[in-house]
Amino acid sequence: MRWQGGRGSGNIEDRRGLGPVGVGGMGVGGVVLALIGYFVFGVDPNTTTQVLGGLQGGAEQQAGQMGTPSDEAGRFVDVVTTSTTDVWSALFQQAGRRYQEPGPTVLYTQATGTECGLGQTAMGPFYCPSDQRVYLDLAFWDELAGRFGARGDFAQAYVIAHEVGHHVQNQLGAMEKSQRLGARGADSGSVRLELQADCYAGVWARHAPEASGGQIALEPGDIEEGMTAASAVGDDAIQRQTQGRVAPDSFTHGSSAQRTRWFRKGYDSGDPGACDTFSAAQL
C-alpha cells in the first residue's frame, strides 16, 4: 500500500505514555467495547464487561497532543483515518446524507479512559459509540503480525477501516439493530454487526485511491493482506488457538470464512448497500 504521500487531517489525539486517572461508566458503549475486545485477543466478553462495570465513576484522562504525530506509525494512522473520512463523506453525500466525522482517533499505551469505560491493550483496537472515537494501542500491530500472521500496512489499514466502519454503523442505526438480535451466537446481532464492518472496510479499500486523488494506492497483494487479517481474527480461528475447539454458540464476530467473504464483497462491489448483513439470509 502506498500511503506516504497521503493527506493527513491531524484528527489524532496522541496519549501514548499518558495513563488514565479515572474511567467513565460502562453503558451501551462499554458492552460493544467488550465484544470488540473478544475478537482480537480471545478475552471473554463477560470478563471485560465485569472489569468495565467495576470501574464506573467520574472519568478523567490526561489530555493528549492533538494533530499529526511526528513518527511514521502515527502518521500512517492519520493518513488512513483521513482517507476513511474522505471516502465516507463522498458516499454519504451520494446517498443524500451528511457524514459526521468521528472524534479524534486516540493513540494510547496500555490503558486509557473513554466514555465507554477503561480501554486496555488486551482489548485490541476498538470503537466507543459514546464518544465516537477509535482507540488504538500501536503495540497491536506487532500482535497482528506475530500472533496472527497478518503482516503488512494494508492489514493494519483494514483494522482501522473496520473500526471506522462501526462509526458508520453508529450513524445509520445498525448498532440498535444489533442489540435487538443478541450478543452471542453464529446468527447474533453482534456477528452481523462485525461482518458489516468488515464489508465497510472493503468498501473503503475500493474507493480510497480515487478519494485521495491518487495519493493513496493499493499495490499487488494488498487485498490479500486484508483478507489474511480478516481470516486470522475469525471467531473459529481465535477459538482454536485459545481453547482448542470451535463453539459457534459463543461467536461474536463471525468465522474466518465469513469475515473474509464480507470484506471481499465490500471491495468487489464498492457499494455500502451490498453490506446489509442484517437482511442477509445467509452470512
Side-chain angles (χ1 to χ4, degrees):
M1 176 180 175
R2 192 178 74 240
W3 62 271
Q4 287 81 357
R7 181 180 69 88
S9 61
N11 192 31
I12 302 288
E13 182 183 353
D14 193 346
R15 298 180 186 173
R16 288 175 288 181
L18 302 176
V21 294
V23 295
M26 184 172 71
V28 173
V31 175
V32 174
L33 186 155
L35 295 175
I36 291 174
Y38 175 65
F39 98 93
V40 177
F41 289 108
V43 177
D44 188 312
N46 293 326
T47 300
T48 309
T49 301
Q50 289 167 8
V51 171
L52 291 167
L55 292 170
Q56 296 183 37
E60 293 184 24
Q61 168 67 48
Q62 299 179 66
Q65 182 174 347
M66 294 296 302
T68 300
S70 59
D71 62 302
E72 183 175 11
R75 290 197 305 272
F76 172 77
V77 175
D78 188 19
V79 169
V80 173
T81 55
T82 299
S83 173
T84 63
T85 295
D86 291 342
V87 167
W88 287 110
S89 294
L91 291 173
F92 268 53
Q93 185 176 30
Q94 291 172 17
R97 302 175 61 105
R98 180 179 177 274
Y99 179 66
Q100 180 181 344
E101 184 177 2
T105 297
V106 177
L107 304 181
Y108 73 98
T109 50
Q110 297 187 339
T112 192
T114 85
E115 289 188 17
C116 293
L118 181 65
Q120 302 178 67
T121 300
M123 298 172 184
F126 62 88
Y127 171 73
C128 171
S130 298
D131 58 25
Q132 300 185 48
R133 294 182 174 207
V134 171
Y135 291 83
L136 174 62
D137 184 336
L138 294 180
F140 175 69
W141 298 151
D142 293 334
E143 190 80 4
L144 186 66
R147 175 175 172 181
F148 297 111
R151 298 175 175 81
D153 47 15
F154 189 84
Q156 298 170 6
Y158 151 77
V159 172
I160 296 170
H162 172 97
E163 298 306 332
V164 173
H166 287 308
H167 180 66
V168 174
Q169 293 170 320
N170 200 19
Q171 294 186 53
L172 297 179
M175 289 190 171
E176 288 78 5
K177 291 182 182 179
S178 172
Q179 291 164 12
R180 291 194 295 268
L181 293 174
R184 305 182 85 170
D187 195 38
S188 65
S190 175
V191 167
R192 291 178 184 271
L193 190 77
E194 297 301 331
L195 295 179
Q196 185 178 62
D198 283 331
C199 189
Y200 283 164
V203 170
W204 164 77
R206 180 59 176 261
H207 292 283
E210 181 180 1
S212 70
Q215 293 181 334
I216 293 176
L218 301 188
E219 298 174 321
D222 279 344
I223 298 304
E224 288 71 22
E225 284 184 13
M227 293 176 69
T228 296
S231 177
V233 293
D235 282 320
D236 51 345
I238 297 291
Q239 289 179 350
R240 287 192 189 95
Q241 186 181 92
T242 59
Q243 62 192 34
R245 62 184 178 85
V246 176
D249 287 347
S250 63
F251 279 9
T252 59
H253 284 65
S255 68
S256 296
Q258 289 172 326
R259 301 198 68 169
T260 302
R261 181 165 62 250
W262 281 97
F263 170 76
R264 187 78 206 201
K265 186 171 186 177
Y267 178 75
D268 287 344
S269 68
D271 178 13
C275 298
D276 186 5
T277 55
F278 291 91
S279 298
Q282 182 178 3
L283 294 176

